[in-house]
């Protein structure tokens, strides 16, 4: 089982430590979105320096390019990307079910590569095999995403997600058994035990999170949480949340049902700082979101007084730091006028500096949420932050 220690609780919120084979994650924590085994515009050195503790890659994207076999050959995601810290993979379900011509059957999902049209089928088993080949510390179960407002559609997707979870758990345990049956000598020689297929090469254990679905329907969310909690998994992803509206009620329904001693990851949330506060306050331990770096590349930058567009003419002669209170490389060394100039002239460095700042902003905000939980000052910190940010 994945080891997770809770240091401090305050209502549903908790501060803890997830102990992964590639190091500890102090939670709550914001996990960097490294969809294609890279965080866009940032090197892994920059990610470490800005305070990131973990990254999340996407199985769908890595399956298409460069292929999961190549990542296995490279020694796994951590080796391949030179991120020698904790890693997650998303199952690819979210991306596959967002494709225009996906065909869903009980067995899995058939789809075409958005890159070259090659045909793929992903099943719960093949998603597990792909994630074990990528070799991240924490995997997500393959789930059927549903965006429908129709409750019957949502129930059908949820029930299929539960049947797929059973298959994911079975395949995950089979692959874990393969690792246990393979000796260090086998690993050293690149050999797998006789009963072991070619699939497994990594010596380090890998862990599985179930994904709780149910959309905006609280009774379905409760049902999905109960089902997921009854399974032999190491933690929980909470999926299918697209907007903060109703998120608090949903988490207040789901989190008390989930076992307290296992970590919870809020999938794809954290674009708006308020999401991070709502998530942590209601029992989520980790978050990921592509939005902070995506917005950075467009010149939309966080400050404690809200988000600004640095391309705006009023920053042309502004020789102050982007955010004086920030200790990131961008804010310590450059002015708003310089950033404005880089964006207006479409310099690559604009995207780099902006991404360093936005990623640091969300990572350090969640770090401060953690500190405030430990010191019993969460409500004060939340009120102070949100009243200024959303003034
Ligand atoms: Zn900064």
């Amino acid at each position: 089982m994945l080891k997770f220690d809770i240091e401090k609780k305050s209502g549903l919120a908790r501060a803890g430590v997830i102990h992964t084979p590639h190091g500890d994650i102090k939670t709550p924590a914001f996990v960097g979105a490294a969809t294609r085994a890279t965080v866009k515009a940032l090197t892994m050195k920059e990610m470490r320096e800005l305070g990131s503790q973990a990254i999340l890659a996407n199985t769908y994207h890595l399956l298409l390019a460069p292929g999961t076999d190549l990542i296995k050959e490279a020694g796994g995601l951590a080796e391949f990307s030179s991120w020698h810290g904790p890693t997650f993979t998303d199952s690819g379900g979210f991306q596959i079910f967002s494709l225009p011509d996906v065909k869903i059957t009980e067995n899995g999902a058939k789809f075409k590569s958005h890159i070259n049209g090659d045909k793929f089928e992903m099943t719960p088993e093949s998603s597990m095999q792909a994630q074990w080949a990528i070799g991240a510390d924490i995997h997500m179960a393959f789930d059927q995403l549903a965006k429908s407002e129709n409750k019957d559609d949502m129930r059908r997707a949820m029930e299929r997600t539960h049947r797929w979870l059973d298959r994911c758990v079975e395949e995950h345990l089979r692959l874990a058994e393969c690792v246990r049956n393979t000796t260090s000598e086998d690993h050293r020689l690149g050999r797998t035990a006789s009963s072991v297929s070619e699939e497994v090469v990594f010596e380090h254990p890998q862990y599985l999170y179930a994904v709780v679905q149910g959309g905006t329907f609280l009774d379905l969310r409760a049902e999905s949480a109960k089902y997921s909690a009854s399974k032999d998994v190491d933690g929980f992803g909470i999926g299918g949340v697209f907007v903060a509206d109703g998120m608090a009620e949903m988490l207040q329904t789901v989190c008390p049902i989930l076992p307290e001693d296992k970590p919870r990851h809020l999938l794809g949330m954290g674009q708006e700082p308020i999401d991070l506060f709502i998530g942590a306050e209601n029992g989520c331990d980790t978050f990921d979101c592509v939005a902070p770096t995506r917005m950075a590349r467009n010149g939309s930058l966080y400050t404690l007084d809200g988000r600004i567009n640095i391309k705006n003419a009023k920053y042309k002669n502004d020789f102050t730091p982007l955010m004086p209170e920030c200790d990131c490389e961008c804010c310590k060394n450059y002015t708003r006028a310089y950033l404005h100039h880089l964006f207006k002239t479409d310099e690559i460095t604009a995207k780099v500096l902006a991404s360093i700042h936005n990623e640091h902003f969300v990572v350090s905000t969640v770090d401060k949420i953690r500190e405030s939980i430990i010191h019993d000052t969460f409500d004060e910190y939340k009120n102070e932050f949100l009243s200024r940010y959303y003034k």
Side-chain angles (χ1 to χ4, degrees), residues 118-332:
D118 282 359
K119 288 179 183 166
F120 287 88
E121 178 170 26
M122 191 177 276
T123 64
E125 291 78 13
S126 71
S127 175
M128 290 298 100
Q129 289 156 14
Q131 292 187 72
W132 274 79
I134 294 167
D137 298 311
I138 295 168
H139 307 166
M140 297 291 159
F142 187 60
D143 58 326
Q144 181 182 340
L145 174 75
K147 287 182 180 171
S148 177
E149 292 301 309
N150 180 300
K151 192 168 181 179
D152 291 338
D153 289 348
M154 190 59 79
R155 170 170 286 286
R156 270 191 291 277
M158 180 194 76
E159 287 174 347
R160 178 169 279 148
T161 292
H162 294 169
R163 292 192 295 275
W164 285 0
L165 175 60
D166 291 348
R167 288 165 58 187
C168 284
V169 170
E170 193 175 324
E171 182 65 4
H172 175 79
L173 295 176
R174 185 184 74 79
L175 292 163
E177 185 64 22
C178 290
V179 169
R180 278 195 293 276
N181 289 339
T182 309
T183 64
S184 296
E185 182 66 4
D186 290 327
H187 281 294
R188 196 179 63 76
L189 298 171
R191 206 167 60 194
T192 47
S194 53
S195 60
V196 175
S197 69
E198 290 297 306
E199 290 148 350
V200 174
V201 290
F202 303 121
E203 209 166 345
H204 70 83
Q206 302 183 32
Y207 298 99
L208 177 64
Y209 281 18
V211 178
V212 175
Q213 289 290 4
T216 54
F217 304 99
L218 294 182
D219 55 337
L220 296 186
R221 284 284 181 183
E223 202 175 321
S224 190
K226 275 194 200 102
Y227 194 86
S228 304
S230 72
K231 297 294 156 184
D232 187 6
V233 293
D234 300 285
F236 304 90
I238 299 170
V241 193
F242 305 108
V243 286
D245 278 358
M247 187 165 84
E249 293 75 12
M250 185 276 285
L251 293 175
Q252 284 156 15
T253 303
V254 166
C255 289
I257 295 171
L258 299 176
E260 199 174 64
D261 58 350
K262 293 182 181 182
R264 306 156 188 162
H265 182 91
L266 190 55
L267 284 155
M269 286 306 282
Q271 163 167 352
E272 279 296 317
I274 194 169
D275 303 347
L276 304 168
F277 285 90
I278 295 173
E281 185 173 24
N282 292 295
C284 295
D285 305 299
T286 50
F287 313 86
D288 76 276
C289 190
V290 296
T293 48
R294 178 185 291 158
M295 293 188 306
R297 296 194 300 281
N298 292 321
S300 182
L301 305 178
Y302 296 111
T303 78
L304 289 177
D305 297 298
R307 214 160 0 111
I308 65 166
N309 186 343
I310 197 69
K311 291 185 270 192
N312 195 307
K314 70 178 174 182
Y315 300 116
K316 191 178 175 188
N317 301 89
D318 185 343
F319 299 105
T320 62
L322 168 60
M323 184 179 127
E325 304 86 344
C326 180
D327 60 357
C328 84
E329 189 194 340
C330 174
C331 296
K332 275 193 304 187

Side-chain angles (χ1 to χ4, degrees), residues 78-99:
E79 266 310 300
F80 184 52
S81 68
S82 194
W83 173 262
H84 301 289
T87 48
F88 292 71
T89 35
D90 202 351
S91 70
F94 182 89
Q95 287 69 28
I96 291 165
F97 292 105
S98 304
L99 292 171

